[in-house]
């Protein structure tokens, strides 16, 4: 069975090739020129796509590196800002805490004065 298939494949290929050669509207020279032009155009397009892909890879790499740098800088700036804010607010927070404790004491004393002594 494989032998018959192989014979049919060869016969079909030969018949198709002969038919194509006889029915083609161009001469062999024209077909070769057309094929060479097609291959040249295709090669140029593939080269352009390859160059564009390489440019894209480079741009992505550059963008990634810049993103990492900016992220590091942003993180450092935020950390410095938080530290500065903490340093600036620490005395105020201490005063607020002291005043809260004083108010609490005063309220306790006032409550003692208002409450009837037993």
């Amino acid at each position: 069975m494989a032998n018959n298939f192989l014979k049919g494949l060869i016969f079909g290929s030969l018949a198709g090739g002969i038919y194509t050669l006889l029915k083609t509207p161009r001469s062999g020279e024209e077909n070769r020129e057309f094929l060479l032009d097609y291959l040249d155009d295709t090669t140029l397009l593939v080269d352009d796509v390859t160059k564009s892909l390489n440019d894209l890879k480079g741009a992505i790499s550059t963008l990634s590196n810049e993103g990492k740098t900016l992220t590091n800088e942003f993180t450092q700036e935020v950390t410095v800002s938080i530290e500065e804010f903490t340093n600036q607010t620490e005395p105020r927070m201490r005063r607020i805490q002291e005043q809260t404790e004083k108010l609490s004491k005063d309220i306790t004393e006032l409550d003692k004065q208002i409450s009837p002594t037993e």
Side-chain angles (χ1 to χ4, degrees):
M1 177 151 167
N3 195 16
N4 288 337
F5 177 76
L6 188 57
K7 286 179 186 178
L9 183 64
I10 292 172
F11 178 73
S13 297
L14 287 174
I18 291 170
Y19 178 78
T20 303
L21 287 174
L22 293 176
K23 292 296 183 177
T24 186
R26 295 181 292 252
S27 69
E29 183 66 30
E30 289 174 332
N31 281 337
R32 282 190 292 276
E33 286 179 23
F34 175 77
L35 184 59
L36 287 174
D37 288 342
Y38 175 78
L39 288 174
D40 288 341
D41 291 343
T42 303
T43 302
L44 289 175
L45 291 174
V46 169
D47 289 344
D48 286 346
V49 169
T50 302
K51 184 182 177 297
S52 296
L53 284 174
N54 288 335
D55 291 346
L56 179 62
K57 285 180 186 177
I60 289 172
S61 176
T62 301
L63 181 63
S64 175
N65 290 336
E66 288 178 4
K68 288 176 185 177
T69 302
L70 289 175
T71 301
N72 290 338
E73 289 176 8
F74 177 76
T75 303
Q76 290 173 354
E77 288 177 10
V78 167
T79 302
V80 167
S81 295
I82 290 172
E83 288 173 359
E84 288 176 359
F85 177 78
T86 303
N87 291 335
Q88 289 174 357
T89 59
E90 187 176 346
R92 292 179 185 148
M93 294 299 290
R94 200 175 325 114
R95 279 195 309 256
I96 290 171
Q97 186 176 7
E98 289 170 358
Q99 289 176 358
T100 304
E101 289 173 359
K102 185 177 184 263
L103 280 173
S104 198
K105 247 186 204 181
D106 290 344
I107 289 174
T108 304
E109 287 179 15
L110 184 63
D111 188 39
K112 286 181 183 178
Q113 289 176 2
I114 294 177
S115 296
T117 54
E118 295 181 21

